[in-house]
């Protein structure tokens, strides 16, 4: 990634989010366009200012996991582009952000519209209404999952459950400690009008929830929904002319090391975040203690614990104690975590919602959930298992 004078000359200038919920079925392109309109207004830009588009992945194996590709969006918007990217591999969901940074730093674009759009709840409803029958036949399993399916590992939740079970064994982490993390996200979601789950939750509710994959229950899993999140990445000189104070991209990490695997990463209680997180701090003078808000991936709740350790907010094996009681990670705690409800209660926006929330907090637009004080440094992290990407933002 080209760096000028050791610094990234790029910033986030506007964000948009449209998550209509589960009872308001809408064409996914309409949802996408609403998010774009909001992001453009947020930045004080128009479509004529956008000369780049980036997303990730371009197409997933399930179409509704990535229903709108960059060329389709370009034609819908009716704009010309100097840059576009729809990668199929990369360091987690922030791949499009990293691509956009490269585009603006190399002079290919001034303002890149990055997005993550999902229609997963629509897909779930379709699958329930049209269940596969034995007479339909079955697709042959291939790729890395062919080594999992013989053991009935049909979802990353199983791999994450084994990872957390090892963490419990190694460090004495408890289900109740994990519960305090989950309860914190629900408490924050109750203050977020865009969150999908806002009803109060008790520890008893959490511990008695339907088991999904021992020791992880229903509330340890993120909530599927249809949504679109848009982040506008601008070249720093162009960002100075936008409506709001730009959030400068201080550092990014797409490091991939160790084993690219859901179940063979070493140590067995860890994941790629352990490689990625420390690398984030190698290109900045900021330290973990400087961070005022952290929105960390929670496709499954234990993943947030590992990100806390990976980013140096606590030592290895100490994340359970760090979140115990929920005081340190509360809105008024030393490190407010997943302030909009994360993906567990806010909804699964595949990491982009976490970056959106970090921006909202740093612009002081959190409303009832706003973190107090000067939120001038924030971090967002995305990815579980072998996927990992992290971004450090600063506001001058």
């Amino acid at each position: 990634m080209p760096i000028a004078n050791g610094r990234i000359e790029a910033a986030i200038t506007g964000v948009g989010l449209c998550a209509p919920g589960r009872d308001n079925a809408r064409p996914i392109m309409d949802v996408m366009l609403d998010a774009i309109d909001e992001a453009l207004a947020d930045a004080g830009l128009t479509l004529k200012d956008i000369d780049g588009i980036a997303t990730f992945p371009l197409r997933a194996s399930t179409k509704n996991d990535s229903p709108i590709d960059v060329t389709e969006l370009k034609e819908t918007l009716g704009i010309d582009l100097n840059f576009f990217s729809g990668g199929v591999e990369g360091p987690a969901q922030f791949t499009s952000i990293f691509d956009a940074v490269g585009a603006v730093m190399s002079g290919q674009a001034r303002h890149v519209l990055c997005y993550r759009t999902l229609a997963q709840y629509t897909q779930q409803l379709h699958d329930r209404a049209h269940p596969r029958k034995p007479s339909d036949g079955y697709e042959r399993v291939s790729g890395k999952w062919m080594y999992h399916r013989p053991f009935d590992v049909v979802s990353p939740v199983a791999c994450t459950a084994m990872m957390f079970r090892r963490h419990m064994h190694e460090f004495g982490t408890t289900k109740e400690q994990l519960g305090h993390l989950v309860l914190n996200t629900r408490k924050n979601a109750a203050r977020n009008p865009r969150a999908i789950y806002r009803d109060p939750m008790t520890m008893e509710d959490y511990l008695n929830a339907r088991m999904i994959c021992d020791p992880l229950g229903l509330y340890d899993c993120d909530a599927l929904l249809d949504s679109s999140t848009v982040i506008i990445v601008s070249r720093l000189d162009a960002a100075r002319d936008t409506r709001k104070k730009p959030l400068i991209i201080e550092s990014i990490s797409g490091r991939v090391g160790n084993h690219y695997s859901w179940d063979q990463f070493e140590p067995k209680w860890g994941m790629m975040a352990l490689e990625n997180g420390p690398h984030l701090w190698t290109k900045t003078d900021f330290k973990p203690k400087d961070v005022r808000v952290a929105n960390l991936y929670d496709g499954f709740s234990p993943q947030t614990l590992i990100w806390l350790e990976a980013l140096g907010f606590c030592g290895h094996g100490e994340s359970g104690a760090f979140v115990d009681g929920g005081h340190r990670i509360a809105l008024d705690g030393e490190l407010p975590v997943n302030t909009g409800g994360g993906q567990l209660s806010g909804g699964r926006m595949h990491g982009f919602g976490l970056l959106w929330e970090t921006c909202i907090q740093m612009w002081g637009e959190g409303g009832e959930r706003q973190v107090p004080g000067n939120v001038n440094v924030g971090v967002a992290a995305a990815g579980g298992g072998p996927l990992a990407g992290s971004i450090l933002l600063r506001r001058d």
Side-chain angles (χ1 to χ4, degrees), residues 93-153:
Q93 296 83 350
F94 291 160
T95 295
S96 62
I97 305 292
F98 299 168
D99 288 348
V101 169
V104 301
M105 292 276 293
S106 61
Q108 295 182 74
R110 286 169 58 82
H111 302 286
V112 181
L113 189 154
C114 305
Y115 68 95
R116 185 76 180 96
T117 298
L118 304 105
Q120 292 186 319
Y121 190 66
T122 294
Q123 181 69 44
Q124 187 178 75
L125 292 178
H126 177 273
D127 293 345
R128 288 175 179 174
H130 303 88
R132 181 179 287 274
K133 303 184 294 293
S135 59
D136 295 331
Y138 294 92
E139 295 181 8
R140 184 175 181 85
V141 178
S142 61
K144 56 181 177 288
W145 286 105
M146 70 181 180
Y147 301 107
H148 296 73
R149 297 295 170 85
F151 302 97
D152 281 340
V153 176

Side-chain angles (χ1 to χ4, degrees), residues 251-314:
S251 180
I252 58 178
S253 176
R255 176 173 168 76
V256 179
N258 205 297
H259 297 297
Y260 190 87
S261 170
W262 275 98
D263 63 336
Q264 297 301 312
F265 189 90
E266 294 290 349
K268 290 295 189 290
W269 54 266
M271 60 185 192
M272 193 61 70
L274 294 178
E275 291 280 337
N276 186 277
H279 184 251
L280 183 70
W281 305 108
T282 63
K283 302 297 182 182
T284 177
D285 293 330
F286 287 110
K287 305 297 181 186
K289 64 181 177 57
D290 298 312
V291 173
R292 297 291 174 259
V293 64
N295 286 286
L296 310 177
Y297 199 72
D298 57 347
F300 305 106
S301 56
Q303 294 168 351
T304 306
L305 295 184
I306 304 306
W307 272 113
L308 285 168
E309 299 179 17
L311 288 164
F313 296 120
C314 60

